[in-house]
Amino acid sequence: MKKIILLLLISGGLYAQEQVFNVQRYCIDEQPFRKNECNVAGNEYSFVFLDIQKHSVVLFLTATKMKYKIVDSGVFASDGNYTFYTLENEKGQVAMRINKQHTKIEFIYPNTHIYLTVGKSTKAIR
């Protein structure tokens, strides 16, 4: 019985852990927006930490750290392949989209769009 309770606690804890997305490539498109063009691109040290339970997202983009609170989320009716999140911090709101395969993440700001390609090292951590 103790083993079953321990297993349930561990499996529940694994579900609640944050996801870490290892960014392989980023593309930053600044206004005026041009489809499939990047003003800045690279593959330097970048990660996205998504914690649904704590309603938080942290984006490490090279030397910049941006922290957000998740205020809304859902699945696009027109494209069920993406989950959207409305994020907020002291500077305002931003939209974030993640595809079901967890290989593409987008941060959509009013004047900037950040496109992230995620590697296969996506995992949950403790």
Side-chain angles (χ1 to χ4, degrees), residues 48-109:
V48 175
F49 295 87
L50 172 64
D51 193 325
I52 301 294
Q53 185 177 17
K54 293 181 181 177
H55 302 285
S56 69
V57 172
V58 178
L59 168 61
F60 285 96
L61 187 61
T62 62
T64 305
K65 178 182 178 182
M66 295 167 266
K67 296 173 93 174
Y68 299 97
K69 177 183 173 187
I70 299 171
V71 294
D72 192 19
S73 65
V75 176
F76 283 111
S78 61
D79 185 357
N81 194 40
Y82 282 89
T83 301
F84 75 87
Y85 298 88
T86 302
L87 310 176
E88 187 174 73
N89 66 10
E90 63 280 351
K91 294 180 181 179
Q93 286 192 344
V94 61
M96 180 178 80
R97 296 176 9 142
I98 301 177
N99 69 350
K100 281 187 178 179
Q101 297 80 20
H102 293 166
T103 57
K104 295 181 190 287
I105 301 175
E106 298 173 31
F107 285 83
I108 303 168
Y109 299 87

